[in-house]
Amino acid sequence: MTAPSASADTRLETVRAALEPHGLFLRGTLNFASADAAPLLSDGWPAASVALIGNIGGSLWQPFLRWREEAPDHGGTDPLDCWSKVVIGEIAGANGATAYFPSDPPWQPFQQWAMQAEGINASPLGILIHPRYGLWHGYRGALAFDQPLAGDGDRSAAHPCDGCVEKPCVSACPAGALARLQFDVGRCRTYLRTEAGGSGCLKCGCLARDACPVGRDYRYPPDQLHFHMAALDL
Ligand code: B12
């Protein structure tokens, strides 16, 4: 593999600065060892690398709300995905990158990329847990480049769930959807459709996610929590 070029790294600095006003962060970078594992760039060639972009805590919420107020049709049926595409798509275009979005099928393996780029692991909920931000972070897009990139992002050390004996996330789930330590989508959804689910998790956010003691300072604001739950297609 060739060494990361200065121009690729300079591009990352430009990308980082462009993301900041939108409450988005460069979360980490990943170089593909083989073309088979790489997504295709817009010119049809396999990407050499991706840079993951995401939110930390409620960082994107206010910039997103401001955009939504002005947007035609208030961003349509999937406003957060629409906002992500507008913001990240423009940054991709200005920096010679191809943008990928977690909401676009065929789903790119965002979580596998994140595990390699940031050294983080899955929680019993299925979502990745970060030692500092806990379960309060997500991915809004990825920029794929034709050159390798220098390592980026603060790679985490230990997996917080390893030392967590009580697993409050598992016991807090009112649907018992984590009882087998693997997220049971059907159980979760069935519960969300009940009256208790509607006034609990659906309104205030997933109770299992909320029970995790890691990164509580990064918990999403109540309206963002409700927004994400309401976006689930029940
Ligand atoms: C389909 C999907 C769902 C489905 C089903 C998940 C499942 N069991 O398959 C549903 C709609 C249920 C779902 C729910 C949620 N999801 Co979701 N989901 C996805 C999506 C679009 C595709 C996942 C996938 O299959 N990828 C394809 C494979 C090839 O990629 P992968 O990286 O190799 O796959 C990993 C996942 O499948 C994961 N996994 C296994 N079981 C489960 C269970 C759950 C619930 C999740 C989230 C992941 C997961 O393990 C794989 C190993 O690496 C991703 C975005 C993406 N492109 O990855 C978001 C994503 C995984 N979801 C995410 C989130 C945050 C959620 C919710 C918490 C949202 C919310 N409502 O607050 C909930 C979970 C809790 C709840 N109360 O419902 C985040 C996770 C961020 C993180 N910190 O890791 C992602 C990455 C989207 C994003 N924009 O950041 N999700």
Side-chain angles (χ1 to χ4, degrees):
M1 186 176 292
T2 47
S5 75
S7 69
D9 299 345
T10 310
R11 272 195 290 191
L12 277 191
E13 284 314 311
T14 312
V15 166
R16 199 193 308 277
L19 291 170
E20 206 211 302
H22 306 287
L24 290 171
F25 296 88
L26 206 52
R27 296 289 308 274
T29 59
L30 162 71
N31 292 327
F32 295 105
S34 95
D36 298 344
L40 297 183
L41 297 166
S42 52
D43 62 10
W45 288 93
S49 58
V50 288
L52 284 170
I53 293 168
N55 60 291
I56 294 172
S59 62
L60 62 68
W61 193 240
Q62 290 306 322
F64 163 66
L65 289 183
R66 283 196 293 275
W67 170 85
R68 198 178 177 190
E69 243 171 64
E70 309 279 316
D73 198 20
H74 296 298
T77 45
D78 296 306
L80 189 58
D81 294 335
C82 178
W83 174 79
S84 305
K85 287 176 187 180
V86 170
V87 170
I88 297 171
E90 196 179 312
I91 295 173
N95 289 280
T98 300
Y100 284 97
F101 299 96
S103 53
D104 278 357
W107 290 320
Q108 297 296 331
F110 268 79
Q111 293 190 296
Q112 278 179 38
W113 287 349
M115 286 192 266
Q116 291 171 57
E118 297 178 81
I120 55 178
N121 288 289
S123 66
L125 277 78
I127 57 178
L128 304 178
I129 186 163
H130 187 280
R132 192 177 324 145
Y133 320 131
L135 301 171
W136 305 111
H137 66 104
Y139 300 93
R140 298 312 324 161
L143 299 183
F145 291 96
D146 59 2
Q147 297 167 45
L149 296 165
D152 198 88
D154 49 350
R155 288 186 64 81
S156 14
H159 177 35
C161 303
D162 282 347
C164 177
V165 180
E166 289 181 349
K167 304 254 179 291
C169 57
V170 175
S171 48
C173 176
L178 301 168
R180 294 186 189 153
L181 288 186
Q182 206 192 6
F183 184 64
D184 184 333
V185 180
R187 282 189 93 108
C188 171
R189 293 198 159 190
T190 304
Y191 177 76
L192 290 176
R193 285 188 216 109
T194 65
E195 213 179 308
S199 58
C201 299
L202 202 55
K203 187 165 169 228
C204 309
C206 170
L207 290 175
R209 195 177 189 181
D210 195 44
C212 177
V214 184
R216 292 200 63 81
D217 291 348
Y218 295 91
R219 189 177 186 273
Y220 293 169
D223 48 345
Q224 184 178 358
L225 283 172
H226 175 66
F227 173 90
H228 289 305
M229 294 307 290
L232 291 176
D233 189 14
L234 297 177

